[in-house]
Amino acid sequence: DDYAPGVKGTDYLRRALFVADIATDFVPGVAGFKKVHKLGKSASSFVDDFTADEERAAEKIFGLRRVSQIDDTKFLHICIDGFMSESAKGQFSDWRTSLETRETFGSIFGFSWPSRNFDESGITCWYEAVENSYIYGNELAKQIINAKTFAPDLKVRLYGHSLGGRVIHNALVALLGSGCKVDQAYLFGGAVSRKDKQRWAGALQSVEDRVFNFYSMNDDVLKKLYHTAELGDDPVGLGEIEYFKTKGVGICEVVNIDVTEIVGGHTEYKSNLVSILEHSSL
């Protein structure tokens, strides 16, 4: 049944392989998993080729991938790009360079998702990417749960630019009630509503420490594209996150930081990432 048409038959295997990969980095005495990982990847590739269809072929490029292993510290940094970054060459290299410059500890992973390509156009393309942000936000939540189940002390930090911030938001909502939390989340020019108080109140329960929201009033992409597509809604990339405070419910601290003086436009966040992250240390 796992390999019936339209079913992603190797999803469970990929998740097991990801957990094994995390284990070799953070849990002593399990280096033998590396061999299992390599054999499993070959098996996964063979099964996918044997049962190939367009949906599964597209799905193969999405998900978590290692970008850099800095040391064995129990920190997992997951970076998510935004709208129309699906086929970007050298994807996640800009994240890696900035995080390594900041002398980040642990491992850096990228999370690729179907955010659409520059060869596609039209408002439909935006709505397809938005829908995918929900689907893959749930998938990211599952990957985080898998990793922390195997390594409970693992500190997970999420970094999202533009629509990648919506993937993070959806992942945090999906984690609610799972008993699993991330350590911190960083949003850069986030293309997700800042006024949906109910959903933000839920999302903030899935973070142990803080959510950093970096926004710039120079962001014309959010002012024009987002406002038009989302019927006048205000994104977190243009202002402070609003949320309900419910008595007796623990939520993390929200740190809203105006980086208008540093960021001159929507595409300037990652090129100024080191300077921007310095503000999170204040």
Side-chain angles (χ1 to χ4, degrees):
D1 290 340
D2 281 344
Y3 297 99
V7 176
K8 299 179 180 65
T10 56
D11 276 356
Y12 296 110
L13 177 57
R14 285 200 188 90
R15 292 171 189 169
L17 295 178
F18 169 69
V19 173
D21 201 23
I22 293 296
T24 60
D25 294 330
F26 300 111
V27 181
V30 291
F33 275 115
K34 283 291 185 183
K35 294 181 180 179
V36 176
H37 189 165
K38 291 180 180 179
L39 291 172
K41 285 175 68 177
S42 298
S44 174
S45 177
F46 173 78
V47 170
D48 270 353
D49 290 341
F50 185 72
T51 61
D53 56 59
E54 290 185 1
E55 180 183 358
R56 193 165 300 156
E59 188 273 337
K60 285 172 65 176
I61 68 172
F62 303 130
L64 282 165
R65 69 176 85 161
R66 185 190 302 279
V67 176
S68 177
Q69 174 68 37
I70 301 171
D71 56 31
D72 293 331
T73 310
K74 292 185 178 182
F75 279 90
L76 178 61
H77 306 268
I78 301 177
C79 307
I80 306 116
D81 285 326
F83 187 43
M84 290 191 171
S85 62
E86 189 172 316
S87 60
K89 293 183 178 180
Q91 194 175 17
F92 309 121
S93 61
D94 42 11
W95 293 104
R96 179 188 64 192
T97 300
S98 296
L99 290 176
E100 288 181 345
T101 300
R102 289 269 301 169
E103 297 183 349
T104 301
F105 300 107
S107 295
I108 302 173
F109 275 69
F111 183 77
S112 57
W113 62 288
S115 59
R116 298 292 160 253
N117 299 312
F118 280 105
D119 58 358
E120 300 166 311
S121 62
I123 198 68
T124 301
C125 181
W126 166 265
Y127 291 126
E128 288 176 351
V130 168
E131 179 62 25
N132 288 336
S133 75
Y134 287 97
I135 297 170
Y136 281 82
N138 289 335
E139 180 60 28
L140 176 59
K142 293 176 184 177
Q143 297 285 4
I144 292 170
I145 292 171
N146 287 341
K148 288 184 70 68
T149 297
F150 200 92
D153 295 335
L154 187 66
K155 296 289 187 181
V156 178
R157 294 184 175 179
L158 304 177
Y159 306 77
H161 173 245
S162 187
L163 211 52
R166 189 177 296 220
V167 174
I168 290 177
H169 180 256
N170 293 327
L172 295 179
V173 172
L175 287 172
L176 185 62
S178 69
C180 179
K181 294 187 177 185
V182 303
D183 180 44
Q184 294 179 351
Y186 297 78
L187 309 176
F188 307 93
V192 56
S193 176
R194 71 183 187 86
K195 292 190 173 183
D196 191 341
K197 296 182 180 181
Q198 192 70 43
R199 278 179 63 83
W200 272 112
L204 297 177
Q205 295 178 50
S206 298
V207 182
E208 288 279 2
D209 188 7
R210 288 169 289 178
V211 168
F212 294 94
N213 174 40
F214 299 96
Y215 64 92
S216 171
M217 300 312 296
N218 297 321
D219 197 327
D220 288 336
V221 171
L222 292 181
K223 287 180 180 179
K224 296 176 182 178
L225 173 62
Y226 184 93
H227 271 303
T228 300
E230 299 295 324
L231 304 178
D233 183 41
D234 289 328
V236 298
L238 291 177
E240 297 186 353
I241 295 172
E242 299 180 5
Y243 55 93
F244 287 122
K245 293 183 179 179
T246 304
K247 186 176 181 179
V249 176
I251 61 175
C252 71
E253 179 185 357
V254 178
V255 183
N256 295 292
I257 302 177
D258 186 345
V259 292
T260 300
E261 294 185 0
I262 300 175
V263 177
H266 191 66
T267 61
E268 294 185 16
Y269 277 94
K270 286 191 284 184
S271 60
N272 292 288
L273 197 58
V274 175
S275 297
I276 293 171
L277 287 174
E278 289 177 357
H279 287 70
S280 67
S281 301
L282 298 177

